[in-house]
């Protein structure tokens, strides 16, 4: 599926704006306006912009409605309705007819709508479900009464969270483009895979450099194009080529045109190192939620841009899209900014007995008998790779966060998913998951299936709380045990941190103070620097974020190195010193 583009053959109609919205009523009449609507902004999370428990606490079904008209001449074309993401499931109705359904809250979906479109006003309704259960990603314990127990530590922001558009093409059109290439870092041969629907006479492929100078041009969809002196995409130094595909009819008239950016770089894991363009890369950065006041988990371009400038100013070179795929523009900007991304599916909460209180029933062995997430997981991987395979910023897929990797059935669950990920990705990028500390090296039964092992560790917080001497020892021992278990793997610490109340200072440097956060990170950094097979540090978390209410969360999760409104805590100056020179 292509990202919508406005050009000489394609139109783009923006349906974002204020929509009508209401919690489900027993009988919504598809042919009537919603009976008791409120206004909500699209894109955005409804439960970040409305007040009242019927919106903020409820799990169930919700309705959105808007109206639009298209210019008459556009009705002669092929019109496609596209949602960037609806969290977590959607049924879309146009003029009373079901147009499409989609499950999975963080990837785009679309359908051709011509048979349902009419002259004049069109009524678009979307039924949104924010129910999570044992079949969905994320997974949660659904009680069936409008309530559920989450197995993850972030707020269940929901709704039409990314852009809604209608784009139109001619009836012969370019349906998808992927851009496989091979490179020795000097010479690159590009062999695009272009799917076209409908009749056309001939096609033309062109590679342009970043300044839109033609590098190579060939006829035919199966042509190969060459870049002789490749300008590589490098972490921190982006360089993007453009591939343009043109379709022509018998009279040499242009039918369709689409231009897609791509970057050239290689990735290899060798001698416990992560090589980008044959050079060892050390991950410096964060696990990052999409989370902000009022927009919730909704796409928020000014915030994304602000964050990117902040990240760059402190020397962060990477982030993990924890714990779900980020929006498409964030990914494009990562390419353009030279940011390195660990791209994560929404497979979080695959651990029965884990809940947002971060309690785990240590002896639970039932996860893989209870969960029925295989189909959702396969689909999530497929849709993520389809969407993101050509982003040079994406260097690794994370297919799960903290699953029950030590329980019976884990290996049988994950081995085929790792295989599927490799199969679907033309680049065969490394695949990872993040390991949880309660499911450690003694119990883990899946880490060897992956190329890189990501460790989430909270010594000094959830264990040895307040005792950084003990935490240091636990950390060092843990690293050595993992290396002993998997001597050929590189490790990244993808989570470590301490809840820190902004402005709380302590002579004793006690937990929750800004001083404790500084000391904890210093301790971890000292230990990481002792081991060459530790190839990265991504702190938890970039910024404080909203969670469900519970006993150990005061105004959300406060492990951010920035507050929710992006004020730096004391740790930020240490990070700058470390990262800008490392
Ligand atoms: C974790 C989870 C993350 C939580 C974090 C915490 O292990 O992966 O989602 O927010 O711990 O702060 O407890």
């Amino acid at each position: 599926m292509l990202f919508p583009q406005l050009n000489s053959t394609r139109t783009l109609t923006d349906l974002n704006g204020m929509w009508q919205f209401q919690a489900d009523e027993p009988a919504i009449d598809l042919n009537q306006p919603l009976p008791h609507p409120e206004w909500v902004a699209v894109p955005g999370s409804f439960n970040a912009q409305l007040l009242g428990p019927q919106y903020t606490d409820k799990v169930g079904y919700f309705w959105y409605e808007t109206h639009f008209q298209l210019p008459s001449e556009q009705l002669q074309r092929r019109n496609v309705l596209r949602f960037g993401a609806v969290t977590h499931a959607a049924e879309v109705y146009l003029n009373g007819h079901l147009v499409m359904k989609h499950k999975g809250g963080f990837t785009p979906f679309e359908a051709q709508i011509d048979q349902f479109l009419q002259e004049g006003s069109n009524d678009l309704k979307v039924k949104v479900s924010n129910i999570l259960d044992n079949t969905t990603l994320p997974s949660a314990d659904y009680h069936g009464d409008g309530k559920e127990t989450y197995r993850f530590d972030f707020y269940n922001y929901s709704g039409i969270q990314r852009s809604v558009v209608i784009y139109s093409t001619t009836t012969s059109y370019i349906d998808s483009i992927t851009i496989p290439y091979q490179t020795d870092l000097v010479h690159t041969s590009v062999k695009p895979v272009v799917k076209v629907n409908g009749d056309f006479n001939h096609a033309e492929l062109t590679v342009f450099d970043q300044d839109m100078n033609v590098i190579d041009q060939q006829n035919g969809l199966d042509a190969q194009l060459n870049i002789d002196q490749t300008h590589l995409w490098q972490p921190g130094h982006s360089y993007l080529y453009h591939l343009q595909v043109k379709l022509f009819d018998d009279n040499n008239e242009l039918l369709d045109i689409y231009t897609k950016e791509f970057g050239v770089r290689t990735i290899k894991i060798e001698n416990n190192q992560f090589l980008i363009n044959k050079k060892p890369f050390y991950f410096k950065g964060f696990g990052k939620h999409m989370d902000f006041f009022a927009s919730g988990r909704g796409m928020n371009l000014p915030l994304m841009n602000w964050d990117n400038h902040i990240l760059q100013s402190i020397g962060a070179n990477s982030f993990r899209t924890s714990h779900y795929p980020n929006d498409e523009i964030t990914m494009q900007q990562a390419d353009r900014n030279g940011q390195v991304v660990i791209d994560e599916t929404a497979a979080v909460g695959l651990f029965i007995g884990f809940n947002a209180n971060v309690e785990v029933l240590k002896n639970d062995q039932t996860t893989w008998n209870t969960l029925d997430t295989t189909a959702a997981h396969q689909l999530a991987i497929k849709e993520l790779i389809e969407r993101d395979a050509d982003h040079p910023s994406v260097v690794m897929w994370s297919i799960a966060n903290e699953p029950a990797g030590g329980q019976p059935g884990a290996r049988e669950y994950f081995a085929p998913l790792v295989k599927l990920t490799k199969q679907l990705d033309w680049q065969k990028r490394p695949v990872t998951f993040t390991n949880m500390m309660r499911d450690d090296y003694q119990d883990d039964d899946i880490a060897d299936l992956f190329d890189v092992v990501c460790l989430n560790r909270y010594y000094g917080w959830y264990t040895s709380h307040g005792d950084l001497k003990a935490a240091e020892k636990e950390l060092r021992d843990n690293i050595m045990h993992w290396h002993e278990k998997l001597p050929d793997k590189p490790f990244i610490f993808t989570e470590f941190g301490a809840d820190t109340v902004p402005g709380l200072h302590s002579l004793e440097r006690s937990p929750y103070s800004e001083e404790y956060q500084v000391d904890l990170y210093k301790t971890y950094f000292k230990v990481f620097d002792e081991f060459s097979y530790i190839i990265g540090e991504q702190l938890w978390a970039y910024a404080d974020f909203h969670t469900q209410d519970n006993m150990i969360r005061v105004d959300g999760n406060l492990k951010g190195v920035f507050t929710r409104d992006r004020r730096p805590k004391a740790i930020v100056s240490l990070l700058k010193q470390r990262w800008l020179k490392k």
Side-chain angles (χ1 to χ4, degrees), residues 152-154 289 320 323 348 354 358 401-402 434 436 456 458 462 495 499 540 545 552-553 557 559:
F152 51 86
D153 179 36
F154 51 91
H289 268 295
R320 176 169 61 115
H323 298 300
V348 50
F354 178 97
V358 201
N401 183 68
E402 301 191 341
T434 69
M436 176 191 214
N456 295 350
Y458 288 97
Y462 294 124
E495 285 188 25
D499 285 85
W540 192 255
F545 57 92
I552 61 161
R553 294 283 173 256
N557 186 312
K559 293 193 186 69

Side-chain angles (χ1 to χ4, degrees), residues 364-423:
D364 174 56
Q365 294 292 312
T366 62
T367 297
W368 306 108
N369 291 331
T370 312
L371 292 183
D372 187 10
T373 43
T374 300
H377 213 147
Q378 289 167 338
L379 186 69
I381 290 171
K382 185 171 164 284
E383 290 188 345
L384 182 65
I385 294 179
E386 252 169 41
R387 197 193 74 163
D388 286 355
D390 287 331
H391 286 294
S393 55
V394 175
V395 299
M396 182 151 65
W397 310 110
S398 165
I399 63 168
N401 183 68
E402 301 191 341
Q407 293 187 18
R411 204 172 173 81
E412 292 72 11
Y413 182 88
F414 276 103
L417 292 179
V418 175
K419 201 167 150 206
L420 176 73
T421 311
K422 297 266 181 190
Q423 251 167 21

Side-chain angles (χ1 to χ4, degrees), residues 238-422:
S238 160
Y239 189 91
L240 296 173
Y241 290 95
H242 300 80
L243 174 76
Q244 187 175 78
V245 181
K246 282 179 171 174
L247 298 182
F248 297 92
D249 69 9
D250 296 343
N251 302 320
N252 219 17
E253 295 284 337
L254 187 63
L255 286 168
D256 198 10
I257 179 171
Y258 192 92
T259 309
K260 187 172 174 182
E261 288 177 333
F262 69 102
V264 178
R265 51 112 189 87
T266 59
I267 292 167
K268 194 166 182 200
I269 290 169
E270 207 172 66
N271 300 329
N272 307 86
Q273 298 299 306
F274 196 98
L275 305 181
I276 302 185
N277 299 329
K278 300 197 175 158
K279 290 196 205 104
F281 179 75
Y282 190 86
F283 292 76
K284 300 179 287 184
F286 302 95
K288 219 168 147 276
H289 268 295
M290 294 182 72
D291 170 278
F292 205 60
F293 306 97
S295 55
R297 187 141 297 124
M299 188 174 93
N300 182 332
L301 298 184
L303 176 70
M304 178 266 290
N305 204 26
W306 192 26
D307 283 346
N308 284 341
H309 284 282
I310 296 172
L311 289 167
Q312 202 188 5
S313 75
I314 63 173
N317 60 14
S318 65
F319 64 93
R320 176 169 61 115
T321 68
S322 47
H323 298 300
Y324 36 76
N326 285 188
D327 68 276
E328 291 159 285
I329 299 181
T330 296
M331 303 309 289
Q332 291 166 5
Q333 286 306 109
D335 292 346
R336 294 171 183 159
N337 293 330
Q339 290 166 303
V340 168
V341 180
I342 302 177
D343 205 358
E344 187 156 280
T345 67
V348 50
L350 306 188
F351 206 134
I352 300 294
F354 178 97
N355 65 37
N357 285 333
V358 201
E359 287 163 356
V360 173
L361 299 176
K362 189 74 175 116
N363 299 325
D364 174 56
Q365 294 292 312
T366 62
T367 297
W368 306 108
N369 291 331
T370 312
L371 292 183
D372 187 10
T373 43
T374 300
H377 213 147
Q378 289 167 338
L379 186 69
I381 290 171
K382 185 171 164 284
E383 290 188 345
L384 182 65
I385 294 179
E386 252 169 41
R387 197 193 74 163
D388 286 355
D390 287 331
H391 286 294
S393 55
V394 175
V395 299
M396 182 151 65
W397 310 110
S398 165
I399 63 168
N401 183 68
E402 301 191 341
Q407 293 187 18
R411 204 172 173 81
E412 292 72 11
Y413 182 88
F414 276 103
L417 292 179
V418 175
K419 201 167 150 206
L420 176 73
T421 311
K422 297 266 181 190

